[in-house]
Amino acid sequence: MKVIVIGGGWSGCAAALEAKKCGADVLLIEKTDMLLGLGNVGGIMRNNGRYTAAQEMIALGGGDLFELTDKCARHRNVEFPGHKHATLYDVIKMEPTVRRYLLERNINMMFETRVVDVETIGKCIKGIYLHDGTYIEGDVFIETTGSTGPMGNCLRYGKGCSMCILRCPSYGPRISISKRAGVEDLLGMRGDDSYGAMSGSCKLNKESLSNEIREKLEKDGVYIVEIPKEDVNLEKLNIKVCQQYALKEFAENIVLLDTGHAKLMTSYYPLEKLRKIKGFENVRFEDPYSGGKANSIRYLSMAPRDNTMKVTGIENLFVGGEKSGLFVGHTEAIVTGTLAGYNAVRWGLGLKPIQLPTSLAVGDIIAYENDMKESVEGLRKRYTFAGASYFERMKELNLYTINNDIIEKRAKTLMMDGFFNEKLI
Amino acid sequence: MFRYVDCIDAGSVYCPCELATKGECIICSQLHGKEFCDCLNWKGTCIYQEYIWNGGKSNKTREFRKYSIINKEYLRDDILKLDIKVTKSLSRNLNNLGSFVFLKNEKDIDPYSIPISILDSDVVNNVISVVIKKQGIKSKAIFECEKEILVKGPYWNGIQGQKYLKELKNSSCLILCRGIASAPAVLAAKKIIKNNNEVYVMLDRGRSRENFAKPYFISLGCNVEDVSFLDYSGELKEQYKFEIEKLLKKWNFKTVLSAGSDEFHVKMINFIYNIDKYINFATVNNTTMCCGEGICGSCIIKGKNNEKIRACKQQYDPKEVFLRGISK
């Protein structure tokens, strides 16, 4: 059985890996020259409820990628405003590590290759077309193309292309495969009723910061400094993707995290103003290159799905990551991608795709996000284990814990320990 | 369903064009009445961004300029070759696949402007050569030009399916020519040979003793065979059906360029597709053009799904337009 995964971000990697573990023949197609997509400028794992989610996935046998992010950690147990026990992975080491891991598992990968269209028979996708017209057939398809960009969207709904890691001008725009197959996209909204949301952090070149800041960052993983009163811009919080970081503290302070680069926890920051702060006199942006002006726009292309991650209205298309909902973060992408990969293989075998139980945080978030998306209010929210309304819900439902034994016991009680490690073919 | 859609001007200095300002851009969904990105064919530049940064205006369109005719030669009573001295940049811009210009006698009004393919562009001496057949009012007016002529260009959409010719490298190409349409095929052959391809030309003499393009093809190093494709009822002669089939097998052509009328394209493409459906086609663009900017609508043809194609700007896959009665 041939599973084709479109998009090599965290979610696509998780889906490809899981489909391979289940025994399928997997082809992963990525438009740029690197895996992980925006994950190349991510880095924050295991903060707040993400700890629970990562441990649940490990207990379920779907924790390979979490173990890799742990392996590439620069700092563990970091605290910063509103967030506890975060692990910060090294964004520079992460991509090659994941790429080698997938290659060792014989997952076929195509880079610098863009999928632009589909061939359908009834409600089934028969094959996909690459940008040069090449046609490739498959049995089941997983779309993990995300919802970020392309340039026209970043311009209409943001402040223009800020030259982010996705590099649309070099590799071409993201195409919504579900839309090409005839299913309309859902759109995330902002507080002011406009569409999309802006990525919530940038990367500063660490070498461009003062020795003092760099040393502190490398020792503690975090550096916080107050923003001059006249430059505090609370409005910027409204446009942010990452509602878990849309706290007053992030508007009033510069919060830097050491992820290899210095991760600046704000969507963008005018360079001139940034350089006024002590130790930032020589600072420059690493990603997006024009982080002084803007950041990428996201949530403009989600496919309607059920809780097995299958797209509503197409028989053999599954989705993960931001393509599958208003999820924020790599943990969420890996969780949804893994389930999409697993269910794609089940569908291919003629078995019924499964939902994850809502007694697990990883199952609950998938079901909860889907319910919430029904309302306009829900479309304004983002869903992450790391904060905002969903972390509150985790706490209310007693899903949040950092006790590994409890999490393992949960999986065992459900008879789901090692579930994602089972070979289906 | 994959559609081979391309705008010949996308990403050039003429993009965004007037179509963008009116919500009719061929490539960009945002400049085609939609509110979200859904690029039909990425050309390495965001047309929407270019448009907004240009202050919501199109880039300047091409204009007529006056140039000198340095040589006027009658190849037949009704076939005229003109050599025109132009600027360096225009000759360089016209030294491309599918190049054409609009020509007009200075004393005539705008509707006289006629699209003519470039036979050759000499980028050292800045001279372009064109061949015109006396057919109607506009071509007759060009025959009256003596020392000077108005030229508007460069335009590049004189050949459809350019992608298939551009991607040919270290390979071979078959060119089937008939009549005046051989002119753009000469420039195409020059470009194809530059990419280290061998070119085989079957050249229909038509009503003349010899096709005017023959010496050009020979000087480029093409293998040229004189033929007379059609019988009295206008059908492809058995002799040449056999010959083409033999050549396809021998040379293993990946792409065939059909340089004749639209009826000629239909005959050739349908015949060859039945032998080998994987062969790609390029065709000389015979659509009626008035403005060359996609505005006037005279170039609009219908694609296989009944979609509008502005053929003076838009590239299509000739199979999608000329294959008849065969499901792909």
Side-chain angles (χ1 to χ4, degrees):
Chain A
M1 183 210 314
K2 186 169 181 183
V3 176
I4 297 182
V5 184
I6 304 148
W10 269 120
S11 181
C13 289
L17 187 60
E18 182 55 30
K20 188 73 193 179
K21 278 163 77 174
C22 289
D25 177 15
V26 180
L27 171 64
L28 175 61
I29 304 176
E30 162 59 31
K31 82 175 172 110
T32 75
D33 55 355
M34 286 202 280
L35 293 175
L36 300 191
L38 289 167
N40 282 299
V41 286
I44 312 175
M45 306 295 285
R46 291 184 178 268
N47 48 333
N48 296 347
R50 282 182 184 154
Y51 187 97
T52 317
Q55 284 306 125
E56 281 182 356
M57 288 305 282
I58 291 170
L60 294 179
D64 306 45
L65 296 176
F66 293 107
E67 278 154 6
L68 292 185
T69 58
D70 283 346
K71 215 170 90 183
C72 291
R74 289 180 69 88
H75 302 277
R76 292 163 208 271
N77 248 327
V78 177
E79 270 194 41
F80 57 95
H83 295 260
K84 287 195 167 133
H85 48 74
T87 300
L88 304 179
Y89 70 69
D90 190 328
V91 292
I92 294 152
K93 288 188 189 143
M94 202 66 248
E95 195 271 341
T97 305
V98 174
R99 190 188 284 215
R100 276 192 291 272
Y101 194 79
L102 297 194
L103 280 173
E104 280 162 13
R105 271 141 199 87
N106 294 321
I107 292 170
N108 300 313
M109 287 185 265
M110 291 170 89
F111 288 93
E112 297 181 46
T113 306
R114 210 158 49 89
V115 178
V116 298
D117 217 333
V118 295
E119 189 71 52
T120 51
I121 299 182
K123 287 183 169 182
C124 260
I125 298 179
K126 192 170 156 237
I128 48 155
Y129 288 97
L130 306 181
H131 61 278
D132 61 357
T134 308
Y135 178 62
I136 304 176
E137 287 197 349
D139 298 305
V140 199
F141 299 83
I142 304 172
E143 185 185 1
T144 50
T145 54
S147 65
T148 311
M151 287 170 77
N153 283 342
C154 291
L155 180 58
R156 187 185 278 263
Y157 302 99
K159 300 170 125 219
C161 173
S162 55
M163 304 172 87
C164 75
I165 189 75
L166 295 182
R167 296 163 290 164
C168 298
S170 307
Y171 297 107
R174 167 186 62 73
I175 297 287
S176 171
I177 301 307
S178 51
K179 193 177 174 191
R180 286 279 196 268
V183 174
E184 275 300 312
D185 284 332
L186 301 173
L187 309 167
M189 294 174 84
R190 297 210 279 263
D192 60 358
D193 264 8
S194 59
Y195 293 107
M198 195 176 272
S199 294
S201 69
C202 337
K203 299 274 176 179
L204 300 177
N205 182 309
K206 216 156 63 173
E207 303 303 311
S208 70
L209 295 165
S210 70
N211 287 342
E212 189 202 341
I213 296 177
R214 204 165 55 239
E215 278 160 21
K216 179 109 180 37
L217 253 184
E218 287 183 347
K219 185 167 149 282
D220 304 338
V222 57
Y223 178 83
I224 301 173
V225 59
E226 231 176 86
I227 292 174
K229 286 270 175 299
E230 68 273 20
D231 288 345
V232 171
N233 180 1
L234 287 169
E235 276 181 17
K236 223 158 62 171
L237 298 177
N238 288 333
I239 57 171
K240 221 171 175 179
V241 165
C242 315
Q243 291 179 344
Q244 74 274 29
Y245 307 128
L247 306 171
K248 207 160 158 261
E249 289 90 326
F250 288 88
E252 291 171 347
N253 296 291
I254 294 269
V255 180
L256 293 184
L257 301 176
D258 176 24
T259 59
H261 303 305
K263 190 176 177 78
L264 172 66
M265 302 301 286
T266 186
S267 294
Y268 60 95
Y269 204 114
L271 195 64
E272 198 72 359
K273 287 186 178 175
L274 197 55
R275 285 184 173 175
K276 285 199 302 199
I277 299 163
K278 189 167 177 285
F280 287 71
E281 294 82 1
N282 299 320
V283 79
R284 62 188 284 177
F285 284 93
E286 194 74 41
D287 178 273
Y289 252 4
S290 312
K293 175 190 140 183
N295 212 323
S296 53
I297 294 292
R298 300 155 77 169
Y299 301 112
L300 291 177
S301 176
M302 298 174 294
R305 59 159 176 94
D306 62 21
N307 292 337
T308 73
M309 307 313 289
K310 192 184 84 61
V311 173
T312 315
I314 306 170
E315 290 300 314
N316 61 341
L317 181 65
F318 290 78
V319 280
E322 277 180 23
K323 181 75 205 183
S324 66
L326 294 153
F327 297 115
V328 189
H330 316 325
T331 306
E332 294 73 3
I334 295 169
V335 169
T336 50
T338 304
L339 182 60
Y342 178 81
N343 277 332
V345 179
R346 282 187 72 94
W347 189 92
L349 290 171
L351 301 171
K352 206 170 163 224
I354 59 118
Q355 301 183 18
L356 289 176
T358 50
S359 53
L360 295 172
V362 292
D364 185 59
I365 198 170
I366 291 172
Y368 181 70
E369 191 275 344
N370 225 11
D371 289 344
M372 292 300 285
K373 252 188 331 216
E374 299 287 321
S375 68
V376 172
E377 201 41 52
L379 284 170
R380 289 206 182 104
K381 290 191 171 154
R382 316 283 170 253
Y383 303 88
T384 166
F385 304 110
S389 62
Y390 188 73
F391 184 45
E392 288 308 311
R393 178 181 162 91
M394 275 182 83
K395 287 192 275 196
E396 275 164 31
L397 297 176
N398 270 332
L399 289 169
Y400 170 57
T401 173
I402 51 167
N403 184 328
N404 294 355
D405 294 338
I406 293 178
I407 296 168
E408 268 173 44
K409 215 169 129 196
R410 273 184 199 165
K412 279 204 177 104
T413 314
L414 291 162
M415 291 189 289
M416 286 187 79
D417 44 327
F419 178 79
F420 284 123
N421 272 332
E422 301 257 337
K423 217 165 174 219
L424 295 177
I425 303 174
Chain B
M1 181 62 213
F2 181 75
R3 268 178 66 209
Y4 166 31
V5 179
D6 199 357
C7 171
I8 205 77
D9 286 342
S12 76
V13 292
Y14 303 106
C15 171
C17 70
E18 289 296 320
L19 298 186
T21 64
K22 297 289 180 285
E24 290 286 338
C25 178
I26 291 162
I27 302 294
C28 171
S29 60
Q30 300 238 25
L31 293 171
H32 201 117
K34 303 276 164 56
E35 291 191 344
F36 298 96
C37 285
D38 190 18
C39 267
L40 275 182
N41 186 359
W42 179 248
K43 297 288 289 281
T45 175
C46 173
I47 302 171
Y48 182 63
Q49 159 131 335
E50 296 291 329
Y51 177 73
I52 298 295
W53 277 85
N54 207 25
K57 295 194 299 286
S58 68
N59 270 343
K60 209 164 180 282
T61 50
R62 294 119 166 142
E63 285 171 351
F64 274 113
R65 293 258 162 82
K66 197 171 11 174
Y67 295 103
S68 306
I69 296 171
I70 56 169
N71 189 32
K72 189 173 172 183
E73 183 187 345
Y74 285 90
L75 303 175
R76 213 170 64 184
D77 282 352
D78 58 344
I79 298 181
L80 174 68
K81 178 172 168 268
L82 291 179
D83 295 330
I84 307 166
K85 179 92 177 169
V86 295
T87 58
K88 195 155 215 60
S89 64
L90 186 57
S91 70
R92 203 168 45 223
N93 274 317
L94 289 171
N95 188 26
N96 280 309
L97 263 177
S99 292
F100 69 93
V101 289
F102 279 85
L103 299 179
K104 191 169 84 72
N105 194 332
E106 196 180 5
K107 68 180 172 63
D108 292 328
I109 53 172
D110 272 2
Y112 275 91
S113 133
I114 179 173
I116 297 290
S117 285
I118 301 297
L119 170 76
D120 193 18
S121 179
D122 175 349
V123 292
V124 178
N125 300 307
N126 311 330
V127 174
I128 55 166
S129 305
V130 293
V131 179
I132 305 142
K133 187 177 176 193
K134 197 186 273 188
Q135 250 168 346
I137 184 166
K138 293 198 282 189
S139 50
K140 279 177 186 162
I142 299 299
F143 273 60
E144 289 165 13
C145 292
E146 290 302 332
K147 290 204 165 92
E148 286 172 330
I149 190 162
L150 296 186
V151 179
K152 185 170 70 161
Y155 294 87
W156 298 295
N157 216 28
I159 290 180
Q160 290 291 354
Q162 289 189 19
K163 164 179 142 71
Y164 301 123
L165 296 176
K166 284 178 183 163
E167 68 192 14
L168 277 183
K169 290 211 167 76
N170 307 318
S171 183
S172 54
C173 179
L174 174 64
I175 302 182
L176 307 169
C177 294
R178 188 164 196 275
I180 198 77
S182 317
V186 170
L187 189 55
K190 182 174 158 188
K191 291 288 158 189
I192 298 165
I193 285 169
K194 277 263 187 306
N195 275 337
N196 205 26
N197 298 296
E198 277 209 72
V199 175
Y200 196 99
V201 185
M202 292 178 90
L203 197 56
D204 194 325
R205 290 176 280 118
R207 287 184 287 123
S208 314
R209 265 187 297 152
E210 198 176 86
N211 190 309
F212 70 91
K214 190 174 180 183
Y216 293 97
F217 282 123
I218 288 175
S219 70
L220 289 169
C222 305
N223 303 281
V224 185
E225 182 186 348
D226 282 315
V227 297
S228 178
F229 282 123
L230 307 178
D231 61 23
Y232 287 108
S233 59
E235 288 308 310
L236 186 56
K237 290 178 188 161
E238 286 303 319
Q239 162 193 3
Y240 293 112
K241 284 185 181 173
F242 178 73
E243 171 92 21
I244 290 172
E245 193 165 356
K246 204 174 78 184
L247 282 172
L248 293 178
K249 284 210 178 92
K250 187 179 165 198
W251 288 68
N252 196 21
F253 296 115
K254 300 274 183 302
T255 303
V256 173
L257 168 61
S258 170
S261 64
D262 282 356
E263 293 76 26
F264 185 79
H265 297 333
V266 170
K267 276 189 188 63
M268 291 304 178
I269 290 178
N270 283 276
F271 171 67
I272 293 171
Y273 184 83
N274 272 322
I275 299 169
D276 181 349
K277 66 176 181 167
Y278 295 106
I279 287 182
N280 295 316
F281 293 95
T283 48
V284 166
N285 189 354
N286 296 311
T287 8
T288 310
M289 290 181 205
C290 281
C291 69
E293 301 293 342
I295 300 169
C296 71
S298 62
C299 66
I300 290 179
I301 58 166
K302 290 278 173 73
K304 66 172 180 175
N305 299 321
N306 234 11
E307 74 278 11
K308 263 198 250 174
I309 298 175
R310 292 178 197 275
C312 71
K313 261 182 187 278
Q314 185 174 332
Q315 281 275 299
Y316 54 76
D317 181 350
K319 268 189 208 168
E320 290 184 8
V321 172
F322 296 109
L323 262 186
R324 300 284 150 84
I326 298 169
S327 64
K328 282 211 296 169

